Amino acid sequence: MTQLTISGLTKAFGDRRVLDGADLHVPEGSLTAILGPSGSGKTTLLRLIVGFDQADSGTVRLGDRVIDGPAGHVPADRRRIGYVPQEGSLFPHLTVAANVGFGLSRRQRAGRRGRPGRDGWGDTVVELLDAVGMAGLGQRYPHQLSGGQQQRVALARALAISPSLVLLDEPFGSLDAGLRAAIRADVRRLLAEAGATAILVTHDQDEALSTADQVAVLRDGRIAQCAAPQDLYTHPADPDMARFIGEANLIDGVLESGSVSTVLGPLPIRADDHAGLDSGPVTVLVRPEQIEISEASSHGLAGKIVALGYHGHDAVVHVEPKQQPGHAAIIVRMLGGCELPVGSPVTLRANGPVSAWHRQPQPQAA
């Protein structure tokens, strides 16, 4: 197990600066997800870590060893980093066992007994195939496997070299939703059992929040926030981060004595937010699941349902406030379904605490 530390990393392609002073610390034995929209620099950062590209400036340190920095660039094949690309990228002409054992020495392939075992391979390959649920399939070829099986083999190949770090580059993107969740859980378990330090690069918020020990959001070439999934979701660094991580209701209010007056009524703010905020206009974050919805009554914010989305385990309801017609609808998440049809009058009530930021002044019209 080895920690990874990235400091002031920059990389440009022509006039376009993709990374602009990125900093990141990945603790030993942890799984960190790097989350960002397409074009945010996730793949560039991954390529610098694995050694496919060289940084313009900054350092990449693996344990106490600088593998990219002013003193030089360690080639990818000397970094002992396991890499799982999109869709596995297995060698089509090699069997499953040969793919897993590709990076091993002849002695490692022979195994502890000094002679081949099951499927003609040594203990390391056999044990890894068992671990990823591919026991007895070592003689098959990649085209004979499902997408999920190919990803399991790719992970076994990455773990075979006992890597200092495992990098997973959008490894579940080509799988269907049900299989993706199952493979994701298996990968998380296997990495934990191996005690591996790992980085998962993804644009899928659910994947990042449900899988990683910490999530680093890449924005404008820098890590805008890095935190445990729950902290990132409940206490984002700014309104833009709140919009990016899950669905968000960003509501204007006025802060006074630790409570914010809003259209949803008075809401308490988080204690750590209150310490850095002065009284006055603020923007507050109210997540959809913090809002209760009921048939119209005299207690709460009156509105009407303007849209419904049913997702099986929950329903997302969009409500237009009666006192703010034409304004952005307030999003409510309900467990199960919503029995009220579009157009129904409803009442909303919110539960705190909430995150808050000083409200940014609107630009004056010319």
Side-chain angles (χ1 to χ4, degrees), residues 11-19 44 47-48 53-54 56:
K11 182 66 178 179
F13 297 98
D15 295 334
R16 180 171 174 259
R17 178 166 283 199
V18 180
L19 296 177
T44 298
R47 290 180 63 84
L48 295 179
D53 292 328
Q54 186 170 358
D56 295 335

Side-chain angles (χ1 to χ4, degrees), residues 296-316:
S297 70
S298 59
H299 301 289
L301 175 65
K304 69 175 181 179
I305 297 176
V306 293
L308 282 171
Y310 180 64
H311 302 282
H313 48 74
D314 65 14
V316 177

Side-chain angles (χ1 to χ4, degrees), residues 6 9-13 16-20 34 39-56 60 68 169 201 218:
I6 293 170
L9 210 60
T10 67
K11 182 66 178 179
F13 297 98
R16 180 171 174 259
R17 178 166 283 199
V18 180
L19 296 177
D20 188 18
I34 299 177
S40 62
K42 301 188 303 297
T43 297
T44 298
L45 179 58
L46 193 87
R47 290 180 63 84
L48 295 179
I49 295 170
V50 78
F52 295 155
D53 292 328
Q54 186 170 358
D56 295 335
V60 179
D68 198 351
D169 184 9
V201 171
L218 190 59

Side-chain angles (χ1 to χ4, degrees), residues 228-289:
Q230 184 173 348
D231 291 338
L232 186 68
Y233 184 77
T234 59
H235 197 182
D238 52 48
D240 286 339
M241 186 67 68
R243 292 187 190 95
F244 182 68
I245 302 295
E247 292 176 302
N249 294 296
L250 295 172
I251 299 172
D252 290 343
V254 177
L255 172 63
E256 188 174 1
S257 301
S259 179
V260 183
S261 298
T262 72
V263 294
L264 288 166
L267 298 173
I269 67 167
R270 302 185 187 282
D272 45 358
D273 283 350
H274 185 229
L277 286 174
D278 298 323
S279 297
V282 294
T283 298
V284 299
L285 165 64
V286 184
R287 292 293 187 187
E289 60 273 15

